[in-house]
Amino acid sequence: MERIVHVPLEGREYDVVIGPGLLQEVGARIAPFLNRPRVAVLTDENVAALHLESLRSGLAKAGIEMVSLALPAGESTKAWPQFSRAVEWLLEQKVERNDVVVAFGGGVIGDLAGFAASVLRRGVRFIQIPTSLLAQVDSSVGGKTGINAPQGKNLIGAFHQPTLVLADSEILGTLTARDFLAGYGEVVKYGLLGDAAFFAWLEEMGPKLAEGDMAARVEAVAHSVQMKADIVERDETEQGDRALLNLGHTFCHALEAATGYSDRLLHGEGVAIGCALAFELSSRLGLCSQEDPSRVRAHLKEMGMKTDLCDIEGALPNADALLGLMGQDKKVVDGQLKFILARGIGEAFVTADVPKEVVLSVLKDALKDCAQA
Ligand code: NAD
């Protein structure tokens, strides 16, 4: 059942291995990359409580010793205080230039550990063992690392590609249903942005995948990672095509800011709602058929995901304020808001040419629907 996706960046190429049971054999998988049989692991407290002992025994089978630091779980960890704690801990553990840091957790740990590895002794290698669906299909691949600033999300960071990614499909079994579905929002995004056949496959297989069908999980993760790898290969540092991966994100970032980056809205939930809004916007601009946004929403709803603005608990700011928050997105260039729109399912493109009034009307109508709900 195992799949390997190769990320062919010249001089920084690596494999993403996807399949069940990887944690048990992690030592053998990692050993070829080590200069000495010792790794420093950064993780979070949730993942540590559930899986750190399995990681330790998987490494021990190959005679690899491990030291670990478990940071508090949650987005607020991705900031200077826990970052400097992690970097200083790695130095205390005497991690040397040729050693390897292991990121064992969701996107928060992957982003923080990757950034720590990028600056430690001017750069050490790191291995990603992503444990959330979101991290397996998105954040562990592609080399974007970083932390949040008080001024905004992901504003401090570096491009630093991992040396290896090990995505154990079984480890997803302990995610809460909410975290699993938030990650699934990113899976759907890949179908919507560039692969109509994959979206159709998800319409059929999504419910089974959520119920735990392992083969379907492996296939969905491998397909998503392959799509990301292809895009990253074309445009590693986001000069063009990589922006397609931000489908739904301009709306999502405004909604995350409006909800204070809190538990009211997880990132992947915002992406799903954002994708539905991006298709609505595309349809209003006459770019895609009216059926496309309905089809997107129907699938999200069938999966039991947050789909509309009204699915976000509590009050939201009005449409003008949301548009203002969109203007603060870091993808704004020369004051121009970039949008990822679509000519149909699987046919996304990047544009800055979107009349503000149409965006405003989409937001107003979405908020009006909530008032009526
Ligand atoms: P997360 O790391 O906070 O994980 C979500 C929750 O799931 C946490 O409570 C975590 O402890 C828990 N968890 C993780 N694995 C588990 C498991 N196997 N069993 C039980 N619980 C588990 O968040 P996330 O959704 O994984 O990632 C979101 C972050 O990723 C954001 O900070 C976002 O900015 C970042 N991100 C980065 C990129 C990139 O390219 N670098 C891309 C997308 C998102």
Side-chain angles (χ1 to χ4, degrees), residues 90-112:
L90 289 168
L91 291 171
E92 275 160 25
Q93 298 306 315
K94 304 202 169 19
V95 173
E96 295 172 5
R97 193 74 202 276
N98 288 322
D99 285 336
V100 168
V101 171
V102 173
F104 186 50
V108 164
I109 289 301
D111 281 9
L112 181 143

Side-chain angles (χ1 to χ4, degrees), residues 251-272:
F251 288 107
C252 169
H253 288 156
L255 294 171
E256 282 184 297
T259 49
Y261 301 98
S262 69
D263 244 19
R264 277 175 68 196
L265 185 73
L266 303 179
H267 177 72
E269 294 174 335
V271 170

Side-chain angles (χ1 to χ4, degrees), residues 165-307:
V165 183
L166 294 175
D168 184 331
S169 316
E170 260 163 16
I171 215 168
L172 303 178
T174 53
L175 282 171
T176 62
R178 189 179 177 196
D179 280 318
F180 185 87
L181 286 179
Y184 185 77
E186 298 277 5
V187 176
V188 171
K189 179 194 78 177
Y190 287 106
L192 294 177
L193 76 88
D195 192 338
F198 183 48
F199 183 74
W201 182 85
L202 289 172
E203 286 179 312
E204 190 195 331
M205 296 301 289
K208 292 188 192 112
L209 190 157
E211 279 162 24
D213 181 322
M214 203 54 78
R217 285 186 178 187
V218 172
E219 174 58 29
V221 173
H223 197 95
S224 303
V225 169
Q226 184 66 61
M227 286 188 71
K228 179 150 186 184
D230 290 345
I231 290 175
V232 169
E233 185 194 355
R234 291 205 298 274
D235 178 20
E236 186 181 0
T237 56
E238 200 166 316
Q239 309 303 312
D241 258 13
R242 189 165 177 164
L244 289 174
L245 295 169
N246 295 321
L247 176 64
H249 282 62
T250 310
F251 288 107
C252 169
H253 288 156
L255 294 171
E256 282 184 297
T259 49
Y261 301 98
S262 69
D263 244 19
R264 277 175 68 196
L265 185 73
L266 303 179
H267 177 72
E269 294 174 335
V271 170
I273 296 173
C275 284
L277 288 169
F279 269 81
E280 181 60 38
L281 179 58
S282 302
S283 151
R284 288 207 192 180
L285 291 166
L287 292 162
C288 69
S289 78
Q290 287 179 354
E291 285 75 48
D292 284 340
S294 308
R295 195 173 152 200
V296 174
R297 293 179 59 252
H299 180 54
L300 299 178
K301 279 208 179 301
E302 197 201 348
M303 294 298 291
M305 296 166 70
K306 287 193 171 54
T307 308

Side-chain angles (χ1 to χ4, degrees), residues 68-90:
S68 66
L69 175 66
L71 302 171
E75 186 70 28
S76 57
T77 285
K78 232 178 84 173
W80 285 122
Q82 295 297 335
F83 176 76
S84 45
R85 180 180 165 205
V87 170
E88 283 168 25
W89 177 81
L90 289 168

Side-chain angles (χ1 to χ4, degrees), residues 248 250-252 254-256 258-259 264-265 269-278 280 297 300-301 305-320 322-323 326 359-371 373:
T250 310
F251 288 107
C252 169
L255 294 171
E256 282 184 297
T259 49
R264 277 175 68 196
L265 185 73
E269 294 174 335
V271 170
I273 296 173
C275 284
L277 288 169
E280 181 60 38
R297 293 179 59 252
L300 299 178
K301 279 208 179 301
M305 296 166 70
K306 287 193 171 54
T307 308
D308 300 311
L309 293 186
C310 359
D311 296 330
I312 303 170
E313 261 176 52
L316 286 173
N318 66 24
D320 288 288
L322 282 176
L323 190 67
M326 288 169 114
V359 183
L360 211 52
S361 80
V362 167
L363 289 170
K364 274 188 182 153
D365 289 349
L367 288 164
K368 212 186 302 158
D369 289 346
C370 292

